[in-house]
Amino acid sequence: MKVILVQDVKSLGKKGDIVNVSDGYARNMLLPKKLGVEANAKNMNDLKLAKAHDAKVAAEQLARAEQLKVQLENSQVTVSIKVGEGGRTFGSVSAKEIADAVKEQLGIEIDKKKLQLENPIRELGTATVLLKLHTKVTASLKVAVKEA
């Protein structure tokens, strides 16, 4: 019997896959536990429409990420930090502070987890920070660190 998987099933397939299983396995395991549905014409059409919808949503997300990348790469954010004698800084600029500065200065909501800082910024000047906006889109943002 052919079955369309509704959820990932270990050692059988992923969600949306069409698998051929024995009638007993489908009738006693997959269908009652709502792990799959029978692969008839209606369900095949529903699967096709769902995949088309998912592809459209993914394309829209990619386009939004590309748009945001252009907007971020053409701008700069200023963050202030306390500085002591001899130009030594107290502490560092964290991803949360950069995300808050982007929201405050540019009006763009960015998750701090998307910022890719190898090390916290500890010196004055301009630094470039990478942002992972999408699996295929990475933007660079200029962060100017000045004395508070």
Side-chain angles (χ1 to χ4, degrees):
M1 172 186 274
K2 288 195 175 208
V3 176
I4 300 171
L5 297 178
V6 178
Q7 298 177 10
D8 292 353
V9 179
K10 192 173 183 176
S11 75
L12 191 58
K14 297 204 176 280
K15 178 181 177 180
D17 288 350
I18 300 170
V19 293
N20 199 7
V21 295
S22 67
D23 291 349
Y25 185 64
R27 207 174 13 255
N28 296 324
M29 170 71 176
L30 296 177
L31 300 178
K33 291 188 177 182
K34 308 249 189 275
L35 298 175
V37 292
E38 187 179 345
N40 57 24
K42 180 198 176 298
N43 291 337
M44 294 288 278
N45 191 38
D46 290 347
L47 175 67
K48 180 180 163 189
L49 292 173
K51 283 188 178 183
H53 180 264
D54 291 344
K56 181 181 174 187
V57 168
E60 288 173 358
Q61 288 175 344
L62 180 62
R64 259 185 274 136
E66 290 285 349
Q67 219 173 23
L68 187 59
K69 175 184 177 180
V70 170
Q71 190 175 0
L72 287 173
E73 288 185 343
N74 293 330
S75 57
Q76 180 174 328
V77 175
T78 305
V79 179
S80 58
I81 188 171
K82 288 185 181 180
V83 178
E85 289 183 30
R88 285 191 48 116
T89 59
F90 293 113
S92 61
V93 178
S94 66
K96 183 179 184 329
E97 291 172 322
I98 295 171
D100 291 343
V102 168
K103 182 178 179 185
E104 180 182 309
Q105 295 171 19
L106 303 177
I108 301 171
E109 187 81 30
I110 291 182
D111 186 13
K112 69 178 182 179
K113 295 173 189 161
K114 294 185 181 215
L115 289 162
Q116 296 179 328
L117 283 172
E118 292 92 35
N119 297 316
I121 302 170
R122 294 193 167 152
E123 60 269 345
L124 299 176
T126 304
T128 303
V129 178
L130 294 177
L131 285 105
K132 185 87 170 169
L133 300 173
H134 189 270
T135 55
K136 298 177 184 175
V137 180
T138 303
S140 59
L141 174 69
K142 290 183 184 136
V143 178
V145 182
K146 66 177 187 175
E147 187 175 338

